[in-house]
Amino acid sequence: MACLSPSQLQKFQEDGFLVLEGFLSADECVAMQQRIGELVADMDVPLHCRIEFSTQEEEQLRSQLCMPTTLSSDMSHTLPRYRPWPKVWASRCPWWCRACTSSRVGAAAVSPHQDSTFLYTEPLGRVLGIWIALEDATLENGCLWFIPGSHTGGVSRRMVRAFAGLKLNTRFLGSEPVWDDSLFVPTPVQRGALILIHGEVVHKSEQNLSDRSRHAYTFHLMESLGTMWSPENWLQPTAELPFPPLYT
């Protein structure tokens, strides 16, 4: 895939998100679904390592108290009949690393951008979200919704690390504004589409009330040059599991 055209770049800068249809082929989507299914089936995660990630403060705090047996998932709003997919660190799996760091992903990267609530950087505006539909995402099964242009409104809260004794938890600083539902625009896409997401754009997904799943693969890119990854972020690289570079 070639770099973004001037019109695509302008639309992304204006709206804070951009849909790129046909980024992956149907065969590539199926291969990724099969591989993540294998990883989930083989997982044996100790109870003390299981954390349910939520963007909602009350849900996040409850998960830290309850330590649920299911991991977080991009299918968290689907019907119970579907087995949720957990968040899997791509750096633990070379196959997924190759998917994250392909030349097509590099060509789609637009900078600078920010994902400041959970992935905070100094200076701001250095993180870009990548969301790939591995199945059709429709109005019925939970497609993404955006408030176009909301990425220019700043940041009102952050999720940071917090310790209860030796146990690592998280807490929120600030508060989330009450967003007007009428401002959200649905963004249904076909399998294989990629959505670029500015870190400050307001977005959501509605509950999946259909009889179909909506698998998606998502990750983030950070411009590393001259950027400090906040030591208060819930996600931290280590010597054993560093953030893999996109460009070498």
Side-chain angles (χ1 to χ4, degrees):
M1 185 182 72
C3 296
L4 298 184
S5 67
S7 61
Q8 287 175 319
L9 180 59
Q10 180 180 356
K11 184 169 181 57
F12 178 82
Q13 292 172 336
E14 292 176 351
D15 293 344
F17 68 98
L18 179 69
V19 175
L20 302 176
E21 293 284 2
F23 181 76
L24 293 183
S25 67
D27 289 342
E28 288 175 312
C29 291
V30 170
M32 294 182 78
Q33 288 180 283
Q34 291 175 341
R35 182 58 181 137
I36 192 62
E38 294 168 359
L39 291 176
V40 172
D42 292 341
M43 277 183 174
D44 183 16
V45 182
L47 286 175
H48 69 277
C49 292
R50 302 181 184 186
I51 297 177
E52 182 178 353
F53 180 84
S54 171
T55 59
Q56 299 298 319
E57 182 170 2
E58 290 184 1
E59 292 178 6
Q60 184 68 23
L61 294 176
R62 278 201 303 270
S63 75
Q64 294 170 174
L65 294 174
C66 299
M67 295 301 291
T69 57
T70 57
L71 298 175
S72 60
S73 169
D74 193 54
M75 290 180 62
S76 59
H77 297 299
T78 61
L79 296 174
R81 61 193 267 177
Y82 294 112
R83 185 178 185 184
W85 282 5
K87 294 182 183 296
V88 179
W89 302 129
S91 56
R92 290 189 179 272
C93 176
W95 192 91
W96 286 87
C97 271
R98 288 195 294 272
C100 293
T101 58
S102 71
S103 59
R104 288 176 295 176
V105 170
V110 183
S111 61
H113 300 282
Q114 170 193 342
D115 192 330
S116 55
T117 297
F118 308 100
L119 309 175
Y120 190 82
T121 63
E122 293 183 1
L124 298 176
R126 300 298 181 91
V127 172
L128 174 68
I130 306 291
W131 193 95
I132 303 174
L134 300 184
E135 297 178 303
D136 291 348
T138 67
L139 291 173
E140 293 75 23
N141 73 351
C143 69
L144 295 181
W145 295 62
F146 294 90
I147 299 181
S150 59
H151 59 299
T152 62
V155 179
S156 59
R157 69 169 183 162
R158 288 181 57 197
M159 191 177 82
V160 299
R161 289 184 158 214
F163 287 88
L166 297 177
K167 180 182 177 182
L168 174 61
N169 288 330
T170 58
R171 65 188 179 97
F172 283 86
L173 303 177
S175 60
E176 190 74 6
V178 178
W179 303 104
D180 185 348
D181 280 342
S182 68
L183 298 177
F184 284 92
V185 175
T187 311
V189 294
Q190 295 183 336
R191 163 184 276 183
L194 180 150
I195 304 180
L196 296 176
I197 304 175
H198 188 290
E200 291 182 26
V201 72
V202 180
H203 60 288
K204 66 176 182 177
S205 60
E206 297 290 352
Q207 186 176 10
N208 182 355
L209 298 177
S210 74
D211 60 355
R212 292 176 292 113
S213 60
R214 190 225 63 188
H215 284 156
Y217 179 51
T218 181
F219 58 96
H220 291 84
L221 303 175
M222 180 186 74
E223 181 182 349
S224 60
L225 183 63
T227 305
M228 186 191 78
W229 181 259
S230 174
E232 293 185 311
N233 286 342
W234 65 279
L235 175 63
Q236 293 294 325
T238 65
E240 295 77 17
L241 290 173
F243 292 155
L246 177 61
Y247 302 107
T248 56

